[in-house]
Amino acid sequence: MSVRALRLALAVACAVPLALMAQSPAPAPAVMILRPARVFDGDTLHEGWAVRVRGVHIDAIGPAASVAEPDAQIRDLAGLTLMPGLIEGHSHVLLHPYNETTWNDQVLKESTGLRVARATAALRQTLLAGFTVIRDLGTEGAGYSDVELKQAVEQGIIPGPRMLVSTRAIVATGAYGPKGYALEWKVPQGAEEADPDSIVRIVRDQIGHGAEWVKLYADYRWGPNGETMPTFSLEELKLAVETARGSGRPVAAHAMTPEGMRRAVLAGVETIEHGDDGTPEVFALMAEHHVALCPTLAAGDATSQYAGWKKGTDPEPASITRKRASFKAALDKGVTILSGSDVGVFAHGDNAREIVMMVDYGMPPLEALKSATSVAARVLHLDDRLGRVAAHREADLIAVDGDPTKDITSLTRVRFVMKGGHIYLP
């Protein structure tokens, strides 16, 4: 082989992975029958069932013989469990792991273009990990880039999950970050600051820029010694929720303290994010008001390891022990759990570690599965379209190696991904 031919061959070989990364989803046949070992429909596991997909929708589900159709293409998923595409309730696609670059440096030193390029890869990784829907709760200094990424996915420019976006998120003036810089400088913040005289305008402005969920920070680390304390008053939170609700937008609240959680619940938010120090009393209030908890167990687990904790070897840090206790208290009080990991703190595509951890922290596997499928769809107002394997729902389906109702780690072994009738994996 000549030197020129060798160089050409090497160039082609090197280009193949890039071509595979950029390729469009496989065109779906008019009718496809998926034949796994079993189907988890969002509620129940069925052995020997199959699913018929027609175009972009699920057409039929039931015992394999009952969904047969002449001339349909058969996809054999032997040994696998077919189930709804997973739903990530708390994502930040414009962040990447803090042990790579600190949050401060991502917000202040990485350009929007760089962050969008990285987020493009993150969306693909998330989809191939079996997550066909994400709720992205704040761009953390990247403006309205989440809305533009959502548009790129919907227009087929880039592969990714369906996105519910919240744009910049809203914080009380002086409460958020980055901090630690000379006080005479006005440092760009990771979210949009609001006060009593501006909060209505800011909620409306974020909605005008494409927010489908409004995110508020009901507390943050701004106490006298850096401890987490409530930020917005109950009246301010109510005003924001009323404004969002009037436009048909639900509200999510970052809240870790009992008082921050209490104010957010009474103000009418639909989900509480984190809830690290929640008490039985505040979880009972959440259950009474039908407010869901997005626990983000995986984020605290990751940051503790970044700080030096050797998981599995060292004793658990106090923060992890508290998180276990608060999550158990939420389960005991019957709080609705929406699976959400705060991914971006750790690597995109590793989202299922949240669901695995929920089981490790005491949630039954079947309930953990629902929290990322049928329950998640209900909480996020998607249950008329997604979250279940049922006729007339959109064909967002994945297949995993094993039975996740018995071994939740099966969710980390995704072998097939379909979104809207189009196959992305394999």
Side-chain angles (χ1 to χ4, degrees), residues 26 37 96 104 151 163 169 235 238 264 406:
H96 60 101
N104 272 16
Q151 292 169 349
M163 297 178 67
E235 290 70 26
K238 283 182 175 179
K406 297 176 180 175

Side-chain angles (χ1 to χ4, degrees), residues 107-128:
V107 173
L108 293 179
K109 295 183 179 180
E110 293 184 348
S111 69
T112 301
L114 176 64
R115 295 182 69 185
V116 168
R118 199 188 301 273
T120 300
L123 288 170
R124 179 180 180 275
Q125 291 159 355
T126 302
L127 179 61
L128 296 184

Side-chain angles (χ1 to χ4, degrees), residues 55 64 88 222 263 273:
E88 167 64 78
W222 75 322
R263 293 182 191 180
E273 312 303 308

Side-chain angles (χ1 to χ4, degrees), residues 5-24:
L6 178 61
R7 285 175 177 169
L8 179 61
L10 287 172
V12 170
C14 291
V16 168
L18 292 176
L20 289 174
M21 286 180 67
Q23 71 183 5
S24 298

Side-chain angles (χ1 to χ4, degrees), residues 23-181:
Q23 71 183 5
S24 298
V31 183
M32 175 179 282
I33 295 174
L34 305 174
R35 298 181 64 175
R38 62 197 71 83
V39 174
F40 171 67
D41 65 7
D43 288 310
T44 307
L45 191 74
H46 306 276
E47 297 285 345
W49 277 27
V51 174
R52 187 170 69 227
V53 174
R54 190 180 303 275
V56 300
H57 291 96
I58 297 168
D59 187 49
I61 173 175
S66 71
V67 303
E69 181 170 316
D71 302 323
Q73 184 181 106
I74 307 296
R75 174 59 68 94
D76 186 12
L77 301 172
L80 305 183
T81 300
L82 189 71
M83 58 183 291
L86 295 168
I87 297 173
E88 167 64 78
H90 189 130
S91 172
H92 294 282
V93 296
L94 287 142
L95 292 176
H96 60 101
Y98 295 176
N99 63 338
E100 296 175 355
T101 307
T102 65
W103 181 85
N104 272 16
D105 283 355
Q106 290 185 50
V107 173
L108 293 179
K109 295 183 179 180
E110 293 184 348
S111 69
T112 301
L114 176 64
R115 295 182 69 185
V116 168
R118 199 188 301 273
T120 300
L123 288 170
R124 179 180 180 275
Q125 291 159 355
T126 302
L127 179 61
L128 296 184
F131 287 79
T132 58
V133 178
I134 63 171
R135 182 179 61 156
D136 205 64
L137 287 179
T139 61
E140 305 294 342
Y144 307 104
S145 298
D146 56 346
V147 178
E148 294 155 330
L149 286 164
K150 174 185 172 75
Q151 292 169 349
V153 171
E154 291 178 345
Q155 293 175 32
I157 299 169
I158 60 174
R162 304 172 193 272
M163 297 178 67
L164 300 172
V165 296
S166 59
T167 74
R168 299 172 65 185
I170 301 170
V171 295
T173 299
Y176 207 51
K179 291 191 182 297
Y181 298 90

Side-chain angles (χ1 to χ4, degrees), residues 316-341:
E316 284 188 348
S319 60
I320 299 295
T321 301
R322 287 197 307 272
K323 189 72 170 180
R324 280 186 182 273
S326 69
F327 185 65
K328 183 179 185 303
L331 294 178
D332 290 346
K333 293 299 181 182
V335 174
T336 298
I337 304 296
L338 164 64
S339 178
S341 66

